[in-house]
Amino acid sequence: MARDYYGILGVAQNATQDEIKRAYRKLARQLHPDVNPNEEARFKEVTAAYEVLSNPEKRRVVDLGGDPLDSGGGRGGGDPFAGFGLGDIMDAFFGANAGGGGRGPRSRVQPGSDALIRLDMTLEECAAGASRELTVDTAILCDRCHGAGTAGNSKPIRCDTCNGRGEVQSVQRSFLGQVVTSRPCPVCRGFGEVIPDPCQQCAGDGRTRSRRTISVNIPAGVAEGMRVRLAGQGEVGPGGGPAGDLYVEVEEHPHEIFERDGADLHCVVQIPMTTAALGATLPLKTLDGEEELQIDPGTQPNTQLVLTGRGMPKLRSTGRVDGRGDLHVHLDVVVPTKLDAAQSTLLRELADLRGESEPSLSHNGKGGGGLFSRLRSSRGHR
């Protein structure tokens, strides 16, 4: 009687190859002898079922009611599950031929790596954008062999160690059968060929290091840590492979006046208490030049004035600038700590005129707005 290979894997008869592979992976993890030694027989059975259903010809035999692993099938009698080794498992988990060679030599031409260079910028440059000439030291295409890695008209030859396969194999026996492992050939490093007469300039690598100058345009609105990508300006790959990208990372210098918060700017302006009381118009330096800052009479300490649209450009992820942030001016009212006799006299006269000779207490719910209660609450009193 033919075995129910679909039932062994727990899949429907119309299951796709992806569904069969997922079912086998799940069961193999549960039943592998390293994880569950008591299920070795079932593990072999599941592996055999996967081997049959993953093969279109053998699966067709099953669908017609036959058993490709019976005494008349492809295994030639005996134990129908014999001969399944690690290669079947590796094929299921990592793709065909993952465990037993057949990958072939890898190409000598490989993509290049990305490169990174940091660029110091002032706040003003970040706001306006900048164009810079940068000196970079990267791998470039060898101008003598043009990436071939060979000298003159010489050509690479097949590696005698691996016979051009790029890998060497070793065979070991285990309870699962013969286990074939592969590793890159130590002579040709997996390329399958060697260069008997390498280029003297690049030593067969197909590239050399060189210092060159490139131009970069930094858009307005960049900030600390942002990167500008220059496609194809990075390292040329081995064998003259395509170059990676060059990333220019912005390092923004602290400003002596402004502190940045995204697209907004903050600054502190100190004003005398007389200016806060009387009001004034003061000059204020901004990124757009000098502007007038209006201080209203009776301005209180820690007052914040907002100048709309006087901050940094708002740089979107698309590289487009969409509006500008604001400039927040924090007013610091400076109270004098030392007064001469004349100044003290004038302030006392002002206090008398305002009826402030004696300090007054704000009553809860009237002048203080529950200040004492808020203080007690902030200190954890109940």
Side-chain angles (χ1 to χ4, degrees):
M1 181 177 178
R3 298 173 182 84
D4 182 8
Y5 293 107
Y6 292 103
I8 293 174
L9 290 181
V11 297
Q13 188 170 354
N14 60 351
T16 65
Q17 286 297 324
D18 287 340
E19 291 172 338
I20 292 173
K21 181 177 291 187
R22 284 196 296 268
Y24 172 64
R25 288 180 176 179
K26 181 179 179 181
L27 291 172
R29 292 190 184 99
Q30 298 172 356
L31 303 175
H32 194 282
D34 290 344
V35 178
N36 200 339
N38 297 327
E39 295 288 352
E40 181 177 348
R42 192 175 172 212
F43 174 73
K44 289 184 178 181
E45 183 182 43
V46 168
T47 302
Y50 171 72
E51 193 272 343
V52 169
L53 296 181
S54 62
N55 185 304
E57 291 299 322
K58 294 180 181 179
R59 184 175 180 179
R60 186 172 63 86
V61 173
V62 172
D63 292 340
L64 293 174
D67 188 343
L69 298 185
D70 63 11
S71 58
R75 292 289 177 181
D79 182 2
F81 303 117
F84 290 97
L86 185 61
D88 302 296
I89 306 171
M90 297 294 286
D91 287 352
F93 280 88
F94 304 107
N97 299 320
R103 290 186 295 265
R106 63 189 181 98
S107 173
R108 188 177 296 277
V109 180
Q110 298 291 325
S113 302
D114 295 335
L116 175 67
I117 187 171
R118 292 178 173 84
L119 178 63
D120 293 332
M121 297 185 68
T122 64
L123 180 67
E124 288 82 2
E125 289 174 328
C126 290
S131 296
R132 292 285 189 86
E133 297 290 324
L134 302 180
T135 301
V136 295
D137 185 0
T138 59
I140 63 172
L141 187 69
C142 177
D143 58 6
R144 182 174 297 182
C145 68
H146 305 289
T150 56
N153 295 323
S154 64
K155 301 290 184 182
I157 61 175
R158 189 179 66 175
C159 175
D160 292 333
T161 302
C162 65
N163 290 323
R165 293 191 302 269
E167 59 186 14
V168 292
Q169 299 178 346
S170 60
V171 181
Q172 295 178 332
R173 294 192 63 83
S174 72
F175 65 89
L176 293 176
Q178 289 186 344
V179 178
V180 180
T181 58
S182 302
R183 59 186 178 88
C185 175
V187 176
C188 67
R189 295 179 298 167
F191 297 126
E193 58 184 19
V194 294
I195 299 178
D197 188 15
C199 172
Q200 297 299 314
Q201 180 165 295
C202 65
D205 191 43
R207 55 182 183 168
T208 58
R209 298 204 70 84
S210 176
R211 182 166 294 180
R212 56 197 173 97
T213 301
I214 61 174
S215 299
V216 57
N217 294 320
I218 307 297
V222 294
E224 173 75 22
M226 287 187 177
R227 293 182 176 182
V228 176
R229 173 175 171 264
L230 302 179
Q233 295 293 336
E235 301 273 350
V236 168
D245 298 331
L246 174 65
Y247 291 88
V248 180
E249 184 174 282
V250 174
E251 289 190 350
E252 183 179 326
H253 284 267
H255 197 270
E256 59 181 1
I257 297 176
F258 302 112
E259 182 175 335
R260 184 173 182 177
D261 180 17
D264 291 339
L265 295 177
H266 296 260
C267 69
V268 177
V269 175
Q270 292 184 332
I271 59 174
M273 66 176 188
T274 52
T275 301
L278 299 174
T281 300
L282 304 177
L284 176 66
K285 180 182 178 181
T286 70
L287 294 178
D288 301 309
E290 192 172 278
E291 296 192 15
E292 292 185 344
L293 182 66
Q294 185 65 42
I295 308 296
D296 294 332
T299 296
Q300 299 300 304
N302 301 321
T303 295
Q304 180 180 157
L305 304 179
V306 179
L307 302 185
T308 304
R310 293 295 185 267
M312 299 289 291
K314 295 179 180 178
L315 181 62
R316 302 304 183 190
S317 59
T318 58
R320 182 173 61 90
V321 173
D322 184 13
R324 294 182 61 173
D326 301 328
L327 173 58
H328 300 257
V329 181
H330 303 264
L331 299 180
D332 180 19
V333 178
V334 179
V335 178
T337 57
K338 294 182 180 179
L339 298 173
D340 57 25
Q343 293 170 344
S344 298
T345 300
L346 288 174
L347 284 179
R348 289 193 182 95
E349 291 178 358
L350 176 61
D352 290 339
L353 289 173
R354 292 181 53 82
E356 299 173 347
S357 298
E358 297 292 337
S360 62
L361 296 177
S362 294
H363 298 284
N364 187 25
K366 296 182 180 180
L371 176 62
F372 183 62
S373 299
R374 293 198 302 273
L375 290 175
R376 286 174 56 86
S377 175
S378 65
R379 293 174 183 174
H381 294 287
R382 298 182 181 272

